[in-house]
Amino acid sequence: MTTQGWVRDAATRTTAAAEAARTDATIASFDARLIRVPLTRPWGADVTSVGVIATHVVRSDGAEGWGFSWTPQIGAEAVHALLAHDITAFAVGRSADPGSESLALWRHLHEAGGGGVTTIAMAGLNLALWDAAVRAHGTSLSGFLGAQRESVRAYGSGVNLHYTQDELVAQVRRWVDAGFDAVKVKVGKPDVAEDLDRLRAVREVLGPDRALMIDANQRWELDRATTSLESLAEVSPAWIEEPLRADDLYGHIELARRLAASSGIPIAVGENLHNVYRFDDFLRTGAAQIVQPNVVRVGGITPFLGIAAIAAEYGAAVHPHLLPELSGQLALCLPAVAGVPAPMAEDVEDAGFGALGALDGPSPVRIADATLTETPHIGLGLRFR
């Protein structure tokens, strides 16, 4: 299939097992409620909580499902309003098939934007419909889609640019003591020399054999990224995440060209790309070698599976962004691609829904010794207090 064909088809592409999600049932009712969850470790002075919009769907055949949308600090009220008004009005009475619903809803909401608040809100419905479909079959998501592996490697992650160097080193020691062989830290200090000092201290704790990933969170422009990475290459980063503004496709193309001719550091993007078309843009042009879709920000499981299918076509690694309680389940189900590293789960210190006390019940996954495995559950296994 051509690249363009993959893009056109990706919004409804699922695995063969997911065809069982198709149903003649319709959406009888749908509701959403906003929950503010305080962060144990603030992600910055202006990010002290995350907004969770918990959703609930009832199908015409009586099956129920629970889902959610999510956003750190900003925009939760807007997402809730979109779910409570436009999405509910559109959804009730329509098909409860999570595959056909996704593309139809995206087209309906497109006038409000092709991604961002719209796709974040879409996930609230898509995840609830998937939960209902999987629950109706009396199994878990991995049982429904077909698990490809029993466990997923996890890496330690933190929002830590505002940490002192001593605090950062202490965090990395905690990850090493917990068995992680890969960690990710933030970069983007005003002076790259400070970034390098911090990373040298981190590398000293990690030793030469553990992987170190770095994340600039869109803080650089092209020339600054180029010169910064020339310096930071000293610590052998496994990837540089979001070096430039997420919407700067051509900047990423040029940076990828420069890095290929120098340090060879791969570029990872995806937490702020919101639909299958943008992921295809970055992969088709060589602007990124690793993609990190956030299952909520892209609109739910249906588009996530489409993005993973596109990445497989390009031979790109998929390491889902955050939300290991759900993205870890999906990582268990992604097919292996020859020559491509297996997906990893991102474990941000003290930021899981279970650790934050947000869940009404046990987490559907467990992370121990840097390995994510499932715990017994039905459906997505995620309901919020």
Side-chain angles (χ1 to χ4, degrees):
M1 181 178 290
T2 66
T3 298
Q4 290 75 18
W6 275 98
V7 173
R8 286 194 300 270
D9 193 44
T12 53
R13 178 169 295 278
T14 62
T15 65
E19 290 299 312
R22 298 193 182 280
T23 176
D24 293 329
T26 58
I27 298 169
S29 67
F30 178 72
D31 61 79
R33 60 189 174 91
L34 173 60
I35 306 163
R36 184 63 66 179
V37 182
L39 287 166
T40 303
R41 296 177 181 274
W43 293 353
D46 58 346
V47 186
T48 59
S49 68
V50 295
V52 174
I53 302 89
T55 58
H56 176 225
V57 70
V58 179
R59 300 192 326 192
S60 59
D61 60 1
E64 294 182 83
W66 287 265
F68 69 98
S69 292
W70 164 96
T71 182
Q73 195 77 24
I74 300 296
E77 288 77 10
V79 172
H80 179 245
L82 200 58
L83 278 160
H85 297 285
D86 299 89
I87 291 178
T88 297
F90 177 80
V92 172
R94 295 181 63 92
S95 171
D97 166 25
S100 63
E101 163 275 327
S102 180
L103 183 56
L105 180 58
W106 187 79
R107 287 171 172 163
H108 176 69
L109 296 176
H110 192 262
E111 290 296 334
V117 169
T118 51
T119 48
I120 291 169
M122 282 176 55
L125 176 61
N126 188 256
L127 297 182
L129 291 176
W130 272 99
D131 189 51
V134 177
R135 285 176 178 273
H137 283 75
T139 187
S140 66
L141 181 63
S142 67
F144 192 81
L145 294 177
Q148 302 297 306
R149 53 190 63 83
E150 294 182 354
S151 64
V152 172
R153 178 188 179 198
Y155 67 89
S157 182
V159 184
N160 47 31
L161 191 63
H162 59 298
Y163 285 18
T164 67
Q165 183 168 311
D166 287 345
E167 290 171 334
L168 176 62
V169 167
Q171 183 179 55
V172 174
R173 289 192 186 280
R174 289 193 294 273
W175 287 328
V176 170
D177 291 344
F180 288 98
D181 64 0
V183 308
K184 185 173 76 182
V185 302
K186 304 296 185 183
V187 294
K189 290 290 188 180
D191 185 347
V192 70
E194 184 177 358
D195 278 329
L196 183 55
D197 285 343
R198 289 162 64 88
L199 292 182
R200 283 170 173 162
V202 167
R203 176 56 79 189
E204 185 175 349
V205 175
L206 292 177
D209 298 327
R210 296 184 181 89
L212 170 59
M213 294 82 80
I214 57 175
D215 182 359
N217 277 128
Q218 309 182 71
R219 287 183 174 86
W220 296 328
E221 46 74 36
L222 177 59
D223 288 340
R224 175 68 186 277
T226 303
T227 57
S228 294
L229 291 169
E230 287 173 355
S231 297
L232 301 183
E234 175 188 316
V235 298
S236 302
W239 73 59
I240 174 60
E241 186 170 329
E242 288 200 321
L244 310 175
R245 292 295 307 174
D247 51 4
D248 185 2
L249 172 62
Y250 289 100
H252 282 88
I253 294 170
E254 174 59 18
L255 181 61
R257 186 191 67 79
R258 295 180 184 183
L259 292 176
S262 57
S263 63
I265 300 171
I267 295 175
V269 300
E271 69 175 274
N272 288 297
L273 302 181
H274 298 104
N275 59 55
V276 294
Y277 304 97
R278 292 303 282 162
F279 279 88
D280 182 78
D281 287 341
F282 274 75
L283 289 168
R284 173 166 40 88
T285 59
Q289 295 75 53
I290 297 163
V291 291
Q292 302 163 302
N294 180 298
V295 64
V296 168
R297 288 177 173 170
V298 300
I301 290 171
T302 303
F304 179 96
L305 293 174
I307 290 162
I310 290 171
E313 282 291 291
Y314 290 111
V318 178
H319 301 307
H321 175 254
L322 286 182
L323 307 176
E325 293 89 350
L326 179 55
S327 61
Q329 296 184 59
L330 290 166
L332 290 168
C333 301
L334 295 180
V337 179
V340 176
M344 292 192 293
E346 182 179 12
D347 185 20
V348 175
E349 187 176 37
D350 295 333
F353 289 138
L356 295 174
L359 296 180
D360 184 14
S363 172
V365 303
R366 176 176 181 265
I367 297 177
D369 298 322
T371 301
L372 181 145
T373 55
E374 285 190 289
T375 61
H377 65 276
I378 300 295
L380 306 185
L382 287 166
R383 294 177 64 177
F384 291 85
R385 292 186 185 277

